[in-house]
Amino acid sequence: MNRLNNTGFKAYAVGGCVRNFLMGKAAKDFDVATNAMPESILNIFADCKTVTNGIKHGTVTVIVHGEPIETTTFRRDGKYLDCRRPMSVSFCSELSEDLKRRDFTVNAMAYSDGEGVIDYFGGLQDIKRGLIRCVGEPDERFGEDALRIMRALRFASVYGFSVEDKTALSIHKNKRLLNNISAERIYLELVQALCGKDAARVLDEFRDVFAVIIPQLEPCFDFFLYGENHRQTLWEHMIRAVDKAMPKPELRLAMLLHDIAKTSGKASGKLKSCSVHAEMSADIAGAILTGLKAPRKLIDKVMLLINYHDYPLNGGEGSVKRLMGMVGKENALLILSQIRRADIAAQNEVGKEKRLEELKEYEDMCRNFISTGVCVDISGLDINGDDLISSGFEGGRNIGVILNSLLDAVIDGRVENKRESLLSYAENIKNKKED
Ligand code: ATP
Ligand code: MG
């Protein structure tokens, strides 16, 4: 900014960095607005690395001390035709024009050392009151760019802000415009909204909006699992569960979707088995997240967490080890310490405290098994297929069957995980079979 000033241009920090600074938070990234045209910016920063793929819209990203600073010429946006992008942008000479095109009052402030905070729309007051409010007429602003709907919910959730009444009304009214927005963009905002500190409140207040993105949520809203007397709806359970998990995308998404099949499951009478509802929910979650163009690795993780969230643990140590063998040690710990914990904590039933205590025991077991390197899968056995074959066992499918029997026996404590003991145990199995 000093450099631009010294060359005779105006320059201001704008957007999120000003908002966060005024809230006493660190900035995620820095944006600078200036009356210098892109060519001048490039000249002034000729000695710096620059990125110019946004230059048509007036943006030159200047890398300063390794930090990318998006430096954009003051601009006003032309007409919007597709609910997302302006048809054209034109450069202008006034900061006020540039701030007017920004989405919310808290995002429409500027700062420079010389002029201090510039706040034409009452952004500072809205920060103090904790309000997300559109700059200008909400209907117009959401009509221009419907992604702003998701941005409003994201900021409300992340900062624990309310959405100002008129803005909120307009969001409900215009929610279907989200169908014009690309899945990738919606997904990025959704994940941030879910990881916010007020995710449950925002999910509940704008559940109709979230149902535009994820239609499968709607049947959960007024669904009582065990009839009207059950003390909370499936939806209430789902959003409480979101709240109880750590703010990580895979955990929050898993909690939001972990029971999503329960409405259809009950209808088709398939709910009797817990594992069936978990599996069905995992499949639905997979389809939803694929539609939202979420990264494949994250989809697989969420599906795994949901699939095993209700894994039966009544077998004590053995069942914890089996879960570990099935999903991997770290995933098992995640399921016990986060997913299962959030699920139980979000229930509304008597006996919850006792179930949480039991869960803590399973979690401690799991940690202990991880740190002592206990055998939970075939690779942890003190013997492998080649050992068996060289001891005279018939190769092929048979080897897998024997190794699995050995693993079962080790997990249940029927044989020690030592080469010699395992071999003689395997001999016994073979002899029994031959008998
Ligand atoms: P974050 O802390 O997540 O970076 P941010 O407010 O800085 O939040 P950015 O996407 O970095 O969000 O955008 C920078 C600024 O550009 C915003 O503060 C806002 O002024 C403006 N802006 C971004 N997206 C839009 C939009 N869709 N409509 C209007 N203004 C927008
Ligand atoms: Mg930003």
Side-chain angles (χ1 to χ4, degrees):
M1 283 161 66
N2 284 340
R3 250 207 221 190
L4 284 158
N5 290 157
N6 292 341
T7 334
F9 292 107
K10 293 183 166 178
Y12 302 88
V14 287
C17 64
V18 181
R19 178 197 66 225
N20 284 17
F21 170 73
L22 292 170
M23 291 175 69
K25 292 181 188 299
K28 228 164 59 181
D29 44 37
F30 290 92
D31 297 309
V32 167
T34 174
N35 61 349
M37 295 298 275
E39 307 81 73
S40 306
I41 302 174
L42 283 174
N43 279 333
I44 293 168
F45 293 99
D47 60 327
C48 297
K49 199 171 166 231
T50 49
V51 184
T52 55
N53 52 4
I55 203 158
K56 258 208 236 140
H57 303 106
T59 301
V60 174
T61 302
V62 184
I63 317 289
V64 184
H65 304 310
E67 174 101 44
I69 313 281
E70 278 199 10
T71 310
T72 306
T73 310
F74 295 157
R75 63 176 226 218
R76 76 171 73 82
D77 294 336
K79 277 215 168 334
Y80 284 74
L81 283 186
D82 60 356
C83 297
R84 172 64 197 137
R85 269 179 306 264
M87 285 280 286
S88 59
V89 298
S90 52
F91 300 133
C92 57
S93 55
E94 293 304 317
L95 171 69
S96 58
E97 281 286 307
D98 184 90
L99 293 179
K100 222 162 56 184
R101 72 178 170 85
R102 294 173 184 273
D103 47 8
F104 306 111
T105 59
V106 296
N107 289 348
M109 290 180 281
Y111 172 86
S112 75
D113 277 345
E115 296 172 59
V117 175
I118 298 169
D119 175 17
Y120 297 121
F121 309 103
L124 191 53
Q125 196 180 39
D126 284 342
I127 285 183
K128 286 187 183 143
R129 292 183 182 166
L131 280 182
I132 299 298
R133 178 201 309 270
C134 281
V135 172
E137 274 304 308
D139 283 351
E140 236 172 74
R141 306 312 309 282
F142 293 128
E144 291 169 354
D145 176 2
L147 185 68
R148 290 171 187 158
I149 294 177
M150 289 308 293
R151 285 176 55 91
L153 305 190
R154 184 247 286 197
F155 290 122
S157 171
V158 169
Y159 298 122
F161 280 17
S162 306
V163 182
E164 173 270 334
D165 286 351
K166 209 169 151 197
T167 302
L169 265 179
S170 179
I171 287 177
H172 290 295
K173 181 172 147 193
N174 290 296
K175 63 192 173 208
R176 288 198 181 77
L177 295 179
L178 279 173
N179 290 323
N180 298 297
I181 303 297
S182 76
E184 291 90 338
R185 285 180 186 276
I186 289 186
Y187 171 75
L188 288 177
E189 297 295 333
L190 171 70
V191 162
Q192 293 181 72
L194 284 178
C195 290
K197 63 176 174 192
D198 261 5
R201 174 181 58 82
V202 172
L203 278 165
D204 204 26
E205 192 176 333
F206 294 95
R207 63 186 202 175
D208 55 326
V209 181
F210 289 98
V212 172
I213 309 168
I214 306 177
Q216 293 91 333
L217 292 177
E218 186 150 3
C220 308
F221 291 163
D222 300 310
F223 187 83
F224 287 89
L225 212 45
Y226 308 107
E228 299 277 334
N229 292 334
H230 199 63
R231 276 173 290 170
Q232 65 179 352
T233 59
L234 180 54
W235 172 248
E236 281 163 339
H237 172 65
M238 288 156 76
I239 61 176
R240 284 177 76 186
V242 168
D243 234 14
K244 303 281 182 192
M246 263 177 13
K248 287 193 165 175
E250 66 275 22
L251 299 180
R252 293 272 167 118
L253 282 166
M255 292 334 292
L256 181 69
L257 302 174
H258 76 285
D259 275 346
I260 190 110
K262 277 199 170 165
T263 54
S264 55
K266 193 179 181 193
S268 60
K270 282 187 179 164
L271 258 186
K272 283 188 196 92
S273 148
C274 293
S275 64
V276 172
H277 106 256
E279 216 178 293
M280 285 169 64
S281 294
D283 285 348
I284 296 175
I288 291 170
L289 293 174
T290 306
L292 284 171
K293 309 267 168 69
R296 189 67 240 174
K297 248 177 98 174
L298 178 129
I299 301 178
D300 290 341
K301 183 90 165 190
V302 171
M303 288 181 71
L304 178 108
L305 296 176
I306 296 181
N307 212 341
Y308 288 92
H309 82 270
D310 238 355
Y311 185 82
L313 292 169
N314 32 20
E317 293 200 347
S319 52
V320 173
K321 286 182 190 168
R322 288 200 167 83
L323 177 63
M324 292 167 75
M326 215 103 69
V327 300
K329 296 176 180 180
E330 293 305 326
N331 284 329
L333 186 58
L334 206 54
I335 288 170
L336 297 175
S337 65
Q338 284 291 318
I339 303 291
R340 188 77 158 244
R341 167 162 307 283
D343 190 10
I344 297 176
Q347 284 168 1
N348 215 356
E349 284 158 38
V350 275
K352 178 168 111 177
E353 298 310 321
K354 192 165 161 277
R355 294 189 64 198
L356 282 172
E357 275 167 33
E358 272 171 23
L359 181 66
K360 181 78 179 75
E361 282 171 27
Y362 293 131
E363 186 190 325
D364 290 345
M365 275 179 209
C366 183
R367 284 185 202 282
N368 181 33
F369 293 152
I370 291 177
S371 66
T372 52
V374 145
C375 166
V376 296
D377 54 27
I378 285 174
S379 73
L381 289 172
D382 196 25
I383 200 172
N384 62 27
D386 291 341
D387 297 332
L388 287 172
I389 291 170
S390 52
S391 305
F393 286 84
E394 185 192 335
R397 230 176 60 84
N398 174 52
I399 295 293
V401 175
I402 296 178
L403 286 172
N404 272 312
S405 307
L406 289 175
L407 176 65
D408 264 336
V410 168
I411 284 180
D412 292 336
R414 281 177 274 127
V415 61
E416 220 185 342
N417 188 17
K418 290 252 165 66
R419 209 187 131 77
E420 292 311 315
S421 323
L422 292 169
L423 263 182
S424 64
Y425 195 90
E427 289 290 349
N428 275 342
I429 300 177
K430 191 168 91 179
N431 294 340
K432 257 193 209 148
K433 252 201 197 148
E434 281 168 1
D435 282 353

